[in-house]
Amino acid sequence: MKRALLSVALCIVVPVTLHAQRREAETRRIRAEYAGVLLQSKKYNEAIVEYRRLVSAEPQRFEYRLGLARALAWSNQHRAAETELARLRAQRPDHPV
């Protein structure tokens, strides 16, 4: 009986969890697009906020850190930009950017 209840619970919980993960990934993708638009629109401080949210959710995501570094550099926050660039260089030493 306990195994049957556990099986039923897993059948309910696993799809809900997967749906939530997909939703979070989709939200991050939309936020990344928004951050890129802010960056292109020269709204650097707003882009920094969005990229920081993205980086906090996925610290190893190269594109998010690169966007953050660009937003920081273009908003004249050069020390913070260099910190991000150093992290990127450590993550991918052979990357041309």
Side-chain angles (χ1 to χ4, degrees), residues 4-51:
L5 288 175
L6 182 59
S7 295
V8 170
L10 286 176
C11 288
I12 294 169
V13 171
V14 171
V16 170
T17 302
L18 292 175
H19 178 70
Q21 289 172 347
R22 274 183 259 153
R23 193 173 13 152
E24 288 173 20
E26 181 67 11
T27 299
R28 278 194 301 275
R29 186 189 64 76
I30 292 168
R31 281 194 175 279
E33 288 180 22
Y34 178 58
V37 169
L38 290 170
L39 193 60
Q40 290 174 356
S41 301
K42 299 181 181 180
K43 296 183 178 184
Y44 304 127
N45 291 328
E46 293 173 51
I48 289 168
V49 171
E50 288 302 319
Y51 278 119

Side-chain angles (χ1 to χ4, degrees), residues 37-86:
V37 169
L38 290 170
L39 193 60
Q40 290 174 356
S41 301
K42 299 181 181 180
K43 296 183 178 184
Y44 304 127
N45 291 328
E46 293 173 51
I48 289 168
V49 171
E50 288 302 319
Y51 278 119
R52 285 194 193 279
R53 283 183 184 152
L54 291 164
V55 167
S56 70
E58 287 186 70
Q60 298 303 316
R61 186 75 179 258
F62 187 86
E63 297 82 12
Y64 297 166
R65 283 205 182 273
L66 182 58
L68 177 57
R70 286 179 174 152
L72 289 165
W74 296 344
S75 68
N76 295 321
Q77 298 181 40
H78 300 293
R79 287 181 194 241
E82 284 200 25
T83 300
E84 290 304 321
L85 289 172

